[in-house]
Amino acid sequence: MAVRAAERPPLRIPPHNLDAEQSVLGAMLESKEAIANVVEVLQPNDFYKPSHSHVYEAILELYGAGQPVDAITVADELARRGQLEAIGGTPYIAGLLDAYPTASAAARYARIVEEHALLRRLIDAGNTVQEIGFSMPESVEEAVDRAEEVVYAVGDRRLRDDVQPIHKLLVENMEAIETLYDRGEHVTGLASGFPDLDEMTAGFQPSNLVIVAARPSMGKSALLSDFALHAAVGQSAPVVIFSLEMSRHEVVQRFLSSQAKVDSQRLRRGSLQEQDWTRLSAALGRLAEAPIFIDDSASVSLMEMRAKCRRLKAKTGLGLVLVDYLQLMQSTRRSENRQQEVADISRELKILARELEVPVLCASQLNRGVEYRADKRPLLADLRESGCLAGETLVTLGDGRTVPIASLVGEKPAVATLAEGRMGVGVTSKAWLTGRKPVFRLTTSGGCSLRATSNHPFYGPEGWRALGDLHPGHRIARSEAEWDVVTSIEPEGIDDVYDITVPDTHNFVANGLVVHNSIEQDSDLVMFLYRDEVYNPDTEQKGEADLIVAKHRNGPTGVVKLAFMNQYTRFASFARGHGF
């Protein structure tokens, strides 16, 4: 049955305000000051009426070229573009001068235009989200992430343009330098709470990914808690903590012990002394006012994490993201092995930091290679999950020659690599000595033999498998793109070992076998936490910790001495003996 006219839904016109649009343009035709105020707020597509967008673009063109902006010059510019008659000719331009009440209110008119434009974008976003839902996507989780990204972009539309002329960037940098000089402070980012560390890093910088790595029992979670408390309590910066290992109650209990300086064991058992209650009461008040948010979902994905951070930033603002810890995270992408998956997660965390424009701090577990060295202070190589090869291992270069991997340190040669089932050539980005580690000799029926650490992956029919997971009879690839068979794997002591990185294919040919490469970290700052007393109970360095800044993309590296107060599960500046 036909729907009667009275039953049809009314035609819905998108939100707009033509009076405000005309007032903005009229003010800009009259005053350079009005132009300067408006260009900070509006973009050409913010105008509902297309002719108004054309006039705005003409004004911007003249203003940007340093030419006079008035009814005559704008009409001439529109005529040059072939748009003058379409907007109503010279009379329409002249009429805009009569449309505005006062040039001093141009910024307010611009805000009205902007608000209506945002509402129209919100409507468009809703339509896009609806289409995503009706498309029946294969991955619902990815569809939700895409939908949230669309909505998030509505409120975040005024982010800086990706392409900027250098003269503008130079001016902005000089202004920032002058501001810092006037302030007389060296911390340009979020202060860590440890002056010696801030002296080295200038604070945790926006858009940076910071890795805090250590072996178990060193206290990396406690250190992240110290960073969180100083940011939220000391600087009122909103902090979100994704605790994949500890429950939210355990995290809060650690905060209480640290802030109140009450023994964590007494707090956990409830065997408190009278003075403890006074300290706890004071700490409770400070923490209650702190903008700290805790998520203890044990299986939070990167998509969920990104969505939660977006919502929090839109609702309360966001100053710092903490993740504890990297190896407990799961990627939604399919990866050829765990090493690649961790690398993907690291890359996504870096993208998250850039998107949110806040520092992201992530704890990471070091591999066991540390345990086999006399000096157990961590190295960058200990952060990677890939294995390493003995120095005499022959790497096949792109031209067919073979050279020992040890001779490639500091070089970036082209090497033979397996890509899509065929041998090809890839370019390395780094080759380096990773330290001294236990090695095992792998021998195949085809006559191949090499020495590698137990966690170095080899390619087989089921994908990449670490040497420690291989046994006689397993098949692995050879450089001729055919299968060979493992005949033996025998320990051969401890030796210097090396690795290289091939960014595109993540593999190379070593002694005739296809082996995985080490994957670069996407972090801007890597810090290792080391306490000698964990390995040497009788050490003279009891209660001391070394915070080793091993990688700093924009500054120096070095060691920061900290004091570890085990009873409060917290760290403090070593020289000062106190924290916040």
Side-chain angles (χ1 to χ4, degrees), residues 391-397 400-408 413 509 511:
E392 77 277 1
T393 305
L394 297 178
V395 175
T396 303
L397 302 182
R401 292 181 297 124
T402 59
V403 297
I405 192 172
S407 70
L408 296 178
V509 176
N511 284 13

Side-chain angles (χ1 to χ4, degrees), residues 436-459:
R436 291 183 62 82
K437 300 179 183 180
V439 293
F440 299 79
R441 181 174 294 279
L442 177 145
T443 305
T444 71
S445 60
C448 295
S449 175
L450 60 71
R451 295 192 301 150
T453 56
S454 63
N455 58 335
H456 203 105
F458 292 76
Y459 191 70

Side-chain angles (χ1 to χ4, degrees), residues 222-479:
L223 185 60
L224 256 65
S225 297
D226 292 339
F227 291 149
L229 288 172
H230 188 74
V233 178
Q235 300 169 84
S236 300
V239 177
V240 59
I241 301 171
F242 293 95
S243 179
L244 285 73
E245 185 175 36
M246 295 191 299
S247 72
R248 67 189 72 181
H249 300 293
E250 290 175 310
V251 174
V252 170
Q253 194 172 83
R254 175 166 287 179
F255 285 166
L256 282 170
S257 173
S258 175
Q259 279 287 288
K261 294 185 179 178
V262 171
D263 188 289
S264 58
Q265 293 298 323
R266 294 208 308 269
L267 188 64
R268 191 173 294 113
R269 293 192 298 264
S271 55
L272 298 175
Q273 300 174 0
E274 186 174 347
Q275 65 269 23
D276 293 337
W277 290 105
T278 303
R279 293 176 178 174
L280 279 173
S281 179
L284 194 65
R286 292 193 298 272
L287 288 171
E289 299 296 322
I292 298 176
F293 305 88
I294 303 171
D295 186 312
D296 63 354
S297 305
S299 58
V300 63
S301 69
L302 279 163
M303 287 186 183
E304 293 170 331
M305 186 178 294
R306 183 161 55 245
K308 291 175 181 180
C309 288
R310 285 173 181 160
R311 294 172 195 154
L312 194 59
K313 183 178 181 181
K315 185 177 180 180
T316 66
L318 191 59
L320 179 65
V321 177
L322 296 179
V323 182
D324 188 19
Y325 58 93
L326 180 66
Q327 283 76 14
L328 292 179
M329 296 184 66
Q330 298 295 323
S331 174
T332 54
R333 298 181 180 180
R334 291 184 178 180
S335 300
E336 56 192 15
N337 58 18
R338 180 57 180 166
Q339 176 198 6
Q340 183 67 53
E341 184 178 17
V342 170
D344 289 340
I345 293 170
S346 173
R347 189 172 301 111
E348 289 296 325
L349 287 174
K350 172 59 180 177
I351 293 172
L352 177 66
R354 292 194 61 179
E355 178 184 326
L356 298 173
E357 295 186 312
V358 301
V360 173
L361 272 64
C362 183
S364 180
Q365 195 86 279
L366 291 174
N367 64 47
R368 292 186 179 87
V370 175
E371 313 294 344
Y372 301 110
R373 296 196 302 265
D375 183 356
K376 293 179 170 51
R377 284 173 174 77
L379 304 171
L380 275 175
D382 299 320
L383 185 60
R384 300 176 174 89
E385 292 204 342
S386 61
C388 312
L389 303 170
E392 77 277 1
T393 305
L394 297 178
V395 175
T396 303
L397 302 182
D399 60 8
R401 292 181 297 124
T402 59
V403 297
I405 192 172
S407 70
L408 296 178
V409 173
E411 303 293 329
K412 297 181 180 180
V415 297
T417 183
L418 181 66
E420 298 181 353
R422 296 182 179 182
M423 295 308 302
V425 177
V427 179
T428 62
S429 63
K430 187 178 182 182
W432 72 103
L433 171 67
T434 63
R436 291 183 62 82
K437 300 179 183 180
V439 293
F440 299 79
R441 181 174 294 279
L442 177 145
T443 305
T444 71
S445 60
C448 295
S449 175
L450 60 71
R451 295 192 301 150
T453 56
S454 63
N455 58 335
H456 203 105
F458 292 76
Y459 191 70
E462 299 84 20
W464 294 98
R465 298 185 66 168
L467 176 62
D469 295 329
L470 293 174
H471 301 285
H474 277 141
R475 292 189 296 166
I476 55 178
R478 295 179 62 180
S479 57

